[in-house]
Amino acid sequence: MSDFLQKFALTGKVAWVTGASYGLGLAYAEAFAAVGAKIVFNDIKQELVDRGLAEYKKKGIDAYGKVCDVTNEDDVKAFVADVEKNVGPIDILVNNAGIIKRIPMTEMSVKEWDQVINVDLTGPFICSKAVLQGMIERRHGKIINACSMMSELGRETVSAYAAAKGGLKMLTRNICSEYGQYNIQCNAIGPGYIATPQTAPLRKRDEDGSMAPFDRFIRSKTPAQRWGHTEDLQGLAVFLASEASDFINGQVIYIDGGILAYLGQDPSNLDESKFAAEEEEEI
Protein backbone atom coordinates (compact mmCIF):
# COMPACT_ATOMS: atom_id res chain seq x y z
CA MET A 1 0.00 0.00 0.00
CA SER A 2 1.37 3.44 -0.91
CA ASP A 3 2.18 5.94 1.81
CA PHE A 4 -0.78 8.04 0.69
CA LEU A 5 -3.31 5.20 0.88
CA GLN A 6 -1.85 4.15 4.23
CA LYS A 7 -3.31 7.35 5.68
CA PHE A 8 -6.77 5.81 5.22
CA ALA A 9 -5.88 2.48 6.86
CA LEU A 10 -7.07 1.57 10.36
CA THR A 11 -4.78 -1.42 10.80
CA GLY A 12 -4.73 -2.54 14.43
CA LYS A 13 -6.96 0.31 15.62
CA VAL A 14 -9.73 -0.53 18.09
CA ALA A 15 -13.04 0.94 16.95
CA TRP A 16 -16.03 1.03 19.29
CA VAL A 17 -19.37 1.57 17.54
CA THR A 18 -22.29 1.93 19.95
CA GLY A 19 -25.56 0.19 19.13
CA ALA A 20 -23.94 -1.58 16.17
CA SER A 21 -25.89 -4.85 16.14
CA TYR A 22 -27.60 -3.82 12.88
CA GLY A 23 -28.38 -0.83 10.68
CA LEU A 24 -26.02 2.08 10.16
CA GLY A 25 -23.81 1.10 13.09
CA LEU A 26 -23.16 -2.29 11.53
CA ALA A 27 -22.36 -0.59 8.21
CA TYR A 28 -19.81 1.72 9.88
CA ALA A 29 -18.19 -1.21 11.69
CA GLU A 30 -18.05 -3.31 8.52
CA ALA A 31 -16.23 -0.48 6.72
CA PHE A 32 -13.73 -0.09 9.57
CA ALA A 33 -13.03 -3.82 9.58
CA ALA A 34 -12.40 -3.75 5.83
CA VAL A 35 -9.46 -1.39 6.39
CA GLY A 36 -7.99 -3.29 9.34
CA ALA A 37 -9.74 -2.12 12.51
CA LYS A 38 -10.67 -4.37 15.43
CA ILE A 39 -14.40 -4.00 16.04
CA VAL A 40 -16.09 -3.72 19.41
CA PHE A 41 -19.75 -2.89 19.88
CA ASN A 42 -22.45 -2.82 22.50
CA ASP A 43 -26.21 -2.94 22.59
CA ILE A 44 -28.92 -2.64 25.20
CA LYS A 45 -30.04 -6.31 25.23
CA GLN A 46 -28.25 -9.64 24.95
CA GLU A 47 -30.46 -10.77 22.07
CA LEU A 48 -29.36 -7.72 20.09
CA VAL A 49 -25.70 -8.39 20.87
CA ASP A 50 -26.17 -12.01 19.77
CA ARG A 51 -27.84 -10.84 16.56
CA GLY A 52 -24.89 -8.53 15.91
CA LEU A 53 -22.28 -11.19 16.62
CA ALA A 54 -24.01 -13.52 14.17
CA GLU A 55 -24.06 -10.81 11.48
CA TYR A 56 -20.38 -9.99 11.96
CA LYS A 57 -19.47 -13.68 11.84
CA LYS A 58 -21.44 -14.06 8.61
CA LYS A 59 -19.38 -11.21 7.15
CA GLY A 60 -16.10 -12.75 8.35
CA ILE A 61 -15.53 -10.10 11.03
CA ASP A 62 -14.24 -11.14 14.45
CA ALA A 63 -16.15 -8.56 16.53
CA TYR A 64 -16.25 -8.18 20.31
CA GLY A 65 -19.74 -7.42 21.60
CA LYS A 66 -21.21 -6.89 25.05
CA VAL A 67 -24.38 -5.61 26.66
CA CYS A 68 -23.98 -2.00 27.78
CA ASP A 69 -26.49 0.82 28.36
CA VAL A 70 -24.93 4.02 26.99
CA THR A 71 -27.05 6.10 29.39
CA ASN A 72 -25.57 4.38 32.46
CA GLU A 73 -22.13 5.78 33.33
CA ASP A 74 -21.15 2.80 35.49
CA ASP A 75 -22.08 0.44 32.65
CA VAL A 76 -20.02 2.43 30.19
CA LYS A 77 -16.97 2.63 32.45
CA ALA A 78 -17.11 -1.15 33.00
CA PHE A 79 -17.49 -1.74 29.25
CA VAL A 80 -14.47 0.42 28.39
CA ALA A 81 -12.35 -1.29 31.07
CA ASP A 82 -13.39 -4.69 29.71
CA VAL A 83 -12.50 -3.71 26.14
CA GLU A 84 -9.12 -2.32 27.18
CA LYS A 85 -8.36 -5.57 29.01
CA ASN A 86 -9.55 -7.98 26.33
CA VAL A 87 -9.07 -6.11 23.04
CA GLY A 88 -7.00 -2.97 23.60
CA PRO A 89 -7.24 0.79 24.12
CA ILE A 90 -10.07 2.42 22.19
CA ASP A 91 -8.74 4.53 19.31
CA ILE A 92 -12.07 5.28 17.60
CA LEU A 93 -15.52 5.87 19.09
CA VAL A 94 -18.66 6.17 16.98
CA ASN A 95 -21.62 7.39 19.01
CA ASN A 96 -24.18 5.66 16.83
CA ALA A 97 -26.79 4.42 19.33
CA GLY A 98 -29.99 6.43 19.13
CA ILE A 99 -33.76 6.39 19.29
CA ILE A 100 -36.61 8.51 17.96
CA LYS A 101 -40.15 8.95 19.22
CA ARG A 102 -42.57 10.51 16.73
CA ILE A 103 -45.00 12.24 19.09
CA PRO A 104 -46.45 15.76 18.83
CA MET A 105 -44.72 17.95 21.39
CA THR A 106 -47.96 18.81 23.23
CA GLU A 107 -48.65 15.09 23.67
CA MET A 108 -45.13 14.03 24.63
CA SER A 109 -44.54 13.24 28.29
CA VAL A 110 -41.44 14.45 30.11
CA LYS A 111 -40.51 10.78 30.57
CA GLU A 112 -40.58 10.23 26.79
CA TRP A 113 -38.63 13.45 26.20
CA ASP A 114 -36.00 12.41 28.76
CA GLN A 115 -35.62 8.97 27.19
CA VAL A 116 -34.75 10.44 23.78
CA ILE A 117 -32.42 13.09 25.20
CA ASN A 118 -30.69 10.50 27.42
CA VAL A 119 -29.96 8.06 24.60
CA ASP A 120 -29.25 10.54 21.79
CA LEU A 121 -27.32 13.24 23.68
CA THR A 122 -26.39 12.17 27.20
CA GLY A 123 -25.22 8.76 25.90
CA PRO A 124 -22.63 10.30 23.56
CA PHE A 125 -21.47 12.56 26.40
CA ILE A 126 -21.00 9.57 28.74
CA CYS A 127 -19.26 7.39 26.12
CA SER A 128 -17.00 10.20 24.93
CA LYS A 129 -16.07 11.07 28.50
CA ALA A 130 -15.18 7.41 29.13
CA VAL A 131 -12.66 7.24 26.27
CA LEU A 132 -11.26 10.76 26.30
CA GLN A 133 -8.83 10.33 29.20
CA GLY A 134 -7.08 7.44 27.45
CA MET A 135 -7.01 9.36 24.19
CA ILE A 136 -5.47 12.36 25.97
CA GLU A 137 -2.75 10.16 27.47
CA ARG A 138 -1.97 8.54 24.10
CA ARG A 139 -2.22 11.86 22.24
CA HIS A 140 -4.54 10.56 19.57
CA GLY A 141 -8.18 9.63 19.16
CA LYS A 142 -11.18 9.88 16.87
CA ILE A 143 -14.76 10.48 18.00
CA ILE A 144 -17.52 10.41 15.39
CA ASN A 145 -21.03 11.46 16.41
CA ALA A 146 -24.23 10.45 14.62
CA CYS A 147 -25.91 13.75 13.89
CA SER A 148 -28.87 14.15 11.55
CA MET A 149 -30.51 16.63 9.23
CA MET A 150 -32.54 17.33 12.36
CA SER A 151 -29.35 18.91 13.71
CA GLU A 152 -30.26 21.73 11.29
CA LEU A 153 -33.98 21.43 10.55
CA GLY A 154 -37.16 21.00 12.51
CA ARG A 155 -40.02 18.70 11.60
CA GLU A 156 -43.37 17.88 13.14
CA THR A 157 -43.45 15.21 15.91
CA VAL A 158 -39.66 15.02 16.48
CA SER A 159 -39.05 17.81 19.02
CA ALA A 160 -36.95 15.69 21.41
CA TYR A 161 -34.95 14.07 18.60
CA ALA A 162 -34.22 17.42 16.93
CA ALA A 163 -33.24 18.98 20.26
CA ALA A 164 -30.90 16.06 21.00
CA LYS A 165 -29.30 16.10 17.54
CA GLY A 166 -28.88 19.86 17.67
CA GLY A 167 -27.21 19.44 21.04
CA LEU A 168 -25.01 16.68 19.66
CA LYS A 169 -23.80 19.04 16.93
CA MET A 170 -22.65 21.48 19.63
CA LEU A 171 -21.15 18.69 21.77
CA THR A 172 -19.12 17.74 18.68
CA ARG A 173 -17.78 21.27 18.41
CA ASN A 174 -17.08 21.50 22.10
CA ILE A 175 -15.10 18.23 22.26
CA CYS A 176 -13.05 19.62 19.37
CA SER A 177 -12.54 22.88 21.25
CA GLU A 178 -11.46 21.25 24.51
CA TYR A 179 -9.38 18.33 23.28
CA GLY A 180 -8.05 19.21 19.84
CA GLN A 181 -4.78 20.18 21.51
CA TYR A 182 -4.24 16.49 22.32
CA ASN A 183 -4.53 15.40 18.66
CA ILE A 184 -8.11 14.25 19.23
CA GLN A 185 -10.57 14.89 16.42
CA CYS A 186 -14.31 14.92 17.00
CA ASN A 187 -16.53 15.21 13.95
CA ALA A 188 -20.04 14.12 13.04
CA ILE A 189 -21.86 12.44 10.17
CA GLY A 190 -25.34 13.71 9.32
CA PRO A 191 -27.16 11.11 7.21
CA GLY A 192 -30.08 12.05 5.04
CA TYR A 193 -32.88 9.59 4.33
CA ILE A 194 -31.30 6.15 3.96
CA ALA A 195 -32.94 3.13 2.30
CA THR A 196 -32.95 0.30 4.85
CA PRO A 197 -35.53 -2.30 5.83
CA GLN A 198 -36.53 0.04 8.68
CA THR A 199 -37.50 2.79 6.21
CA ALA A 200 -38.99 0.43 3.60
CA PRO A 201 -42.63 1.15 4.61
CA LEU A 202 -42.06 4.82 3.73
CA ARG A 203 -41.20 3.82 0.16
CA LYS A 204 -43.76 1.08 -0.40
CA ARG A 205 -45.83 1.70 -3.52
CA ASP A 206 -49.58 2.04 -3.27
CA GLU A 207 -51.82 -0.71 -4.62
CA ASP A 208 -52.25 1.16 -7.90
CA GLY A 209 -48.46 1.27 -8.32
CA SER A 210 -48.08 4.96 -7.54
CA MET A 211 -45.33 6.26 -5.31
CA ALA A 212 -45.94 6.61 -1.59
CA PRO A 213 -46.47 10.28 -0.68
CA PHE A 214 -43.43 10.42 1.62
CA ASP A 215 -41.21 8.74 -0.97
CA ARG A 216 -42.33 11.34 -3.52
CA PHE A 217 -41.72 14.13 -1.00
CA ILE A 218 -38.16 13.00 -0.19
CA ARG A 219 -37.21 12.54 -3.85
CA SER A 220 -38.60 15.98 -4.70
CA LYS A 221 -36.46 17.50 -1.93
CA THR A 222 -33.27 15.68 -2.99
CA PRO A 223 -31.27 16.82 -6.02
CA ALA A 224 -30.06 13.21 -6.43
CA GLN A 225 -33.76 12.16 -6.54
CA ARG A 226 -33.02 8.99 -4.59
CA TRP A 227 -32.67 7.72 -1.06
CA GLY A 228 -29.19 7.10 0.27
CA HIS A 229 -27.69 3.66 0.84
CA THR A 230 -25.55 2.54 3.74
CA GLU A 231 -22.54 2.32 1.39
CA ASP A 232 -22.88 6.07 0.86
CA LEU A 233 -21.93 6.58 4.52
CA GLN A 234 -19.01 4.17 4.79
CA GLY A 235 -16.35 6.15 2.94
CA LEU A 236 -16.81 9.23 5.11
CA ALA A 237 -16.80 7.13 8.28
CA VAL A 238 -13.46 5.56 7.33
CA PHE A 239 -12.04 8.96 6.38
CA LEU A 240 -13.06 10.56 9.69
CA ALA A 241 -11.64 7.60 11.63
CA SER A 242 -8.33 7.68 9.80
CA GLU A 243 -5.12 9.69 9.84
CA ALA A 244 -6.23 11.30 6.57
CA SER A 245 -8.63 13.56 8.51
CA ASP A 246 -6.22 14.65 11.26
CA PHE A 247 -6.74 18.38 10.55
CA ILE A 248 -10.53 18.18 10.30
CA ASN A 249 -12.16 18.85 13.63
CA GLY A 250 -15.52 20.00 14.98
CA GLN A 251 -17.34 19.52 11.69
CA VAL A 252 -20.73 18.01 10.84
CA ILE A 253 -20.67 16.54 7.34
CA TYR A 254 -24.05 15.79 5.82
CA ILE A 255 -24.57 12.86 3.46
CA ASP A 256 -28.04 13.76 2.25
CA GLY A 257 -27.94 13.82 -1.55
CA GLY A 258 -28.12 17.62 -1.38
CA ILE A 259 -31.34 18.11 0.63
CA LEU A 260 -29.91 20.81 2.88
CA ALA A 261 -28.66 22.78 -0.15
CA TYR A 262 -31.94 22.62 -2.08
CA LEU A 263 -35.33 24.25 -1.67
CA GLY A 264 -36.91 21.37 -3.56
CA GLN A 265 -39.35 21.06 -6.43
CA ASP A 266 -43.07 20.53 -6.72
CA PRO A 267 -43.52 16.80 -5.90
CA SER A 268 -46.14 16.50 -8.65
CA ASN A 269 -43.44 17.22 -11.25
CA LEU A 270 -41.54 14.02 -10.50
CA ASP A 271 -41.49 11.49 -13.32
CA GLU A 272 -42.43 8.24 -11.53
CA SER A 273 -41.38 6.13 -14.49
CA LYS A 274 -37.74 7.00 -13.73
CA PHE A 275 -37.82 5.22 -10.40
CA ALA A 276 -37.65 1.46 -10.77
CA ALA A 277 -38.21 -0.67 -7.69
CA GLU A 278 -35.05 -0.43 -5.62
CA GLU A 279 -33.59 -3.51 -4.03
CA GLU A 280 -33.71 -3.36 -0.23
CA GLU A 281 -30.53 -3.67 1.77
CA GLU A 282 -30.19 -6.54 4.17
CA ILE A 283 -28.65 -4.54 7.01
Side-chain angles (χ1 to χ4, degrees):
M1 185 181 291
S2 71
D3 289 344
F4 176 74
L5 290 179
Q6 189 62 41
K7 290 180 180 292
F8 295 86
L10 301 178
T11 308
K13 301 291 187 184
V14 176
W16 173 22
V17 187
T18 68
S21 297
Y22 60 93
L24 301 187
L26 178 62
Y28 295 140
E30 184 180 4
F32 294 157
V35 289
K38 301 175 185 177
I39 304 302
V40 299
F41 74 99
N42 70 286
D43 221 313
I44 192 69
K45 296 178 181 177
Q46 187 62 52
E47 59 249 45
L48 291 174
V49 172
D50 291 342
R51 170 183 173 180
L53 289 171
E55 285 295 324
Y56 287 111
K57 185 175 181 180
K58 197 185 304 180
K59 295 174 183 293
I61 299 170
D62 184 19
Y64 187 82
K66 292 277 187 176
V67 173
C68 173
D69 179 355
V70 297
T71 69
N72 184 312
E73 189 166 17
D74 289 338
D75 252 23
V76 170
K77 286 179 178 178
F79 178 87
V80 170
D82 181 76
V83 169
E84 290 179 344
K85 178 182 177 182
N86 291 291
V87 184
I90 294 169
D91 301 291
I92 301 155
L93 165 65
V94 181
N95 284 309
N96 168 75
I99 61 170
I100 188 169
K101 289 183 179 292
R102 300 184 185 279
I103 305 170
M105 183 173 167
T106 55
E107 298 172 18
M108 179 173 254
S109 69
V110 172
K111 183 178 180 180
E112 290 166 330
W113 167 276
D114 285 345
Q115 186 181 4
V116 175
I117 298 295
N118 285 342
V119 175
D120 293 359
L121 181 56
T122 306
F125 163 75
I126 290 172
C127 294
S128 299
K129 181 182 172 185
V131 301
L132 272 167
Q133 191 57 51
M135 291 179 174
I136 290 169
E137 292 168 1
R138 294 186 296 276
R139 293 298 194 272
H140 74 82
K142 302 282 186 174
I143 297 175
I144 303 171
N145 290 326
C147 281
S148 161
M149 288 191 300
M150 297 303 105
S151 299
E152 301 291 339
L153 302 172
R155 195 163 192 274
E156 61 275 10
T157 76
V158 294
S159 57
Y161 183 79
K165 294 301 184 179
L168 188 57
K169 174 178 70 175
M170 294 310 302
L171 179 62
T172 300
R173 292 175 178 174
N174 212 76
I175 292 172
C176 156
S177 301
E178 287 197 60
Y179 302 108
Q181 62 184 304
Y182 301 106
N183 189 33
I184 295 168
Q185 293 82 47
C186 181
N187 294 290
I189 296 175
Y193 286 90
I194 307 299
T196 66
Q198 288 73 33
T199 60
L202 301 175
R203 299 186 308 283
K204 187 176 180 181
R205 296 220 165 211
D206 292 337
E207 290 184 4
D208 63 1
S210 61
M211 293 173 65
F214 193 76
D215 187 13
R216 176 179 283 279
F217 169 72
I218 292 303
R219 290 179 189 272
S220 72
K221 286 284 293 176
T222 309
Q225 292 192 0
R226 70 171 176 88
W227 290 60
H229 302 285
T230 53
E231 305 95 278
D232 293 320
L233 307 177
Q234 290 176 318
L236 178 59
V238 168
F239 173 61
L240 292 179
S242 74
E243 180 187 333
S245 63
D246 277 358
F247 204 55
I248 297 176
N249 212 351
Q251 303 303 308
V252 183
I253 303 174
Y254 294 96
I255 304 180
D256 64 357
I259 288 180
L260 288 174
Y262 184 46
L263 185 61
Q265 63 171 294
D266 183 341
S268 65
N269 290 335
L270 281 181
D271 179 3
E272 291 194 22
S273 64
K274 287 169 46 179
F275 308 119
E278 295 173 348
E279 185 177 350
E280 298 300 339
E281 298 180 30
E282 296 301 322
I283 292 180

